[in-house]
Amino acid sequence: MVKICCIGAGYVGGPSMAVMALKCPAIEVTVVDVSRPRIDAWNSDRLPVLEPGLDTIVRACRGRNLSFSADVDRHVADADIVFVSVNTPTKARGLGTGRAPDLAYWESAARVVAAASRPGTGKIVVEKSAVPVRTAEAMERILHAHAGDGAFQVLSNPEFFSEGTAVRDLLCPDRVVIGGGDTDVGAVRALVDVYAHWVPEDRIVTTGLQSAELAKLAASALLAQRVSSVNALSALCEATGADVSDVARAVGSDGRVGGGGRGFLDAGVGFGGPSLRRDVLSLAYDCERHGLHEAAEYWRQVVAVNEYQKGRFVRRLVASMLGTVAGKKVAVLGLAFKKGVGDTRESPAVDVCRALLAEGARVSVYDPVVSETQIIRRDTAAAAAEVEVTRDAYEAADGAHGLCVLTEWDEFRTLDYRRVFDGMMRPAFVFDGRNVVDAGELREIGFVVYSVGKPLDAWLNGMPAVA
């Protein structure tokens, strides 16, 4: 029986290994992490990752050929294949602050693999984290310094699934990318054989090591570019009276533009999540390190437009509400970066909340999935006195001057907006950052409505776009 160990029980490692265990019943899969609370959550009935269908898979495999453990050294030592799936956030200090990825967790994991492996035994080490190009070579150097050449073979196998559809994407991937060096043919074949249990081989793409690493960053960058492009167009749509949905539909019908990613042509308040911003900045930093300054600046502008879109939304909100939100209650519906997930990392909604608090607003938040602790302590970095966490959308909107829709949860499409209106102050504003509501219907009720990239409400025409 082949034994697989994955270091890192987060958003990538947990779901990836659960699906692998499901589809490869003859393979023993163990997910390890230094965080005991995280491991305990994976072994409980309340998983630390919210993904449709994941709990069913974990329950089916846990105790059979899938386990979760905090005994990192033992399971790394026993494994034939070790996946490294640890966090690589953007650096918050030091060289490359705000641009370069922080590889501290990655290097620590590499050293754990080197120290825990038994002398004379070979292992395949698979890089699954999003990392700069040529990071696998650095991992090889660490491993070979401990055990000499030939004891380890390092591959790159980046993950491309989307949060909220992770199980579906893992079960039926568009492609699986496996990168290896010239001497890693046997290791590549071994990993191909694992995925071939459920992925057609024509969807398993084998490449060089550096190409696989770059493919992950490039995929994130091109998706982020689409979002920033349509969001930049949304500003011009508002200024000219065009409708960004009509523009996106017309442009997206061209297969060269729309392709299979039509959803990334939907305008909004900005992209979020743990990977897009990080990966684009990492790609830009890689370009910068190699002296490709114009290319680096190009990719940085993708992120800059995203920041512009979030700021533009807040400036429009404040200007519309007569130039100030100080002392006014603003309800925020949705804090997760997109529907179907409980993840708020890099969520545009969090930035909007922080900006509103900085302007002196009283903010009430409702999200059907995100916990109160997460909202107050980690995300908005605000005291409970500044942010009210409510049980439903109606409570959030009660007594509010303005209402922001910042996550496209389905329930926000079907709210009783007459009831919402009756409980709000006048004039009652709705700022739709995801184009969720029926603006015409809400205007008939009496709301002043702003929808990103849509023709402006009569109230807003002629008013400044910036407070």
Side-chain angles (χ1 to χ4, degrees), residues 285-327:
Y285 193 68
D286 262 351
C287 292
E288 189 178 302
R289 289 193 304 150
H290 288 88
L292 307 173
H293 302 297
E294 292 83 2
E297 183 58 27
Y298 173 81
W299 291 114
R300 280 195 291 267
Q301 283 303 308
V302 171
V303 176
V305 170
N306 195 54
E307 297 305 309
Y308 159 75
Q309 185 74 349
K310 289 183 286 187
R312 192 174 74 83
F313 182 87
V314 173
R315 291 191 293 272
R316 172 69 77 177
L317 183 155
V318 175
S320 301
M321 294 178 67
L322 306 176
T324 181
V325 292

Side-chain angles (χ1 to χ4, degrees), residues 11 50-52 161-169 337-342:
Y11 281 84
L50 175 67
E51 283 292 341
F161 69 71
S162 297
E163 283 192 49
T165 59
V167 170
R168 185 184 70 195
D169 296 343
F337 80 89
K338 68 175 182 178
K339 76 171 184 178
V341 305

Side-chain angles (χ1 to χ4, degrees), residues 149-218:
D149 293 345
F152 297 97
Q153 291 175 288
V154 180
L155 306 180
S156 177
N157 174 220
E159 195 50 71
F160 296 96
F161 69 71
S162 297
E163 283 192 49
T165 59
V167 170
R168 185 184 70 195
D169 296 343
L170 288 164
L171 289 172
C172 302
D174 293 329
R175 77 294 204 198
V176 170
V177 176
I178 300 172
D182 294 338
T183 61
D184 298 324
V185 176
V188 169
R189 184 67 245 177
L191 192 53
V192 168
D193 288 343
V194 171
Y195 280 107
H197 281 78
W198 78 98
V199 181
E201 288 215 29
D202 61 356
R203 293 191 184 183
I204 302 176
V205 180
T206 57
T207 71
L209 205 53
Q210 295 85 0
S211 297
E213 291 174 318
L214 182 54
K216 168 61 178 174
L217 301 184

Side-chain angles (χ1 to χ4, degrees), residues 103-162:
L103 298 179
Y105 297 119
W106 164 88
E107 182 172 339
S108 176
R111 294 185 182 279
V112 165
V113 173
S117 300
R118 300 185 183 97
T121 60
K123 288 190 190 302
I124 298 172
V125 181
V126 184
E127 173 190 80
K128 205 151 188 69
S129 305
V131 293
V133 182
R134 309 197 80 163
T135 300
E137 290 182 12
M139 178 177 281
E140 284 180 332
R141 292 191 180 115
I142 292 172
L143 297 173
H144 293 167
H146 281 75
D149 293 345
F152 297 97
Q153 291 175 288
V154 180
L155 306 180
S156 177
N157 174 220
E159 195 50 71
F160 296 96
F161 69 71
S162 297

Side-chain angles (χ1 to χ4, degrees), residues 22-65:
L22 177 72
K23 291 297 185 177
C24 305
I27 294 178
E28 184 179 317
V29 180
T30 305
V31 182
V32 298
D33 202 291
V34 295
S35 171
R36 170 66 71 176
R38 183 177 296 167
I39 291 298
D40 289 343
W42 279 107
N43 285 317
S44 73
D45 292 330
R46 188 178 179 83
L47 304 184
V49 172
L50 175 67
E51 283 292 341
L54 180 60
D55 54 346
T56 302
I57 292 176
V58 171
R59 281 199 302 268
C61 300
R62 197 171 53 196
R64 186 191 72 186
N65 69 324

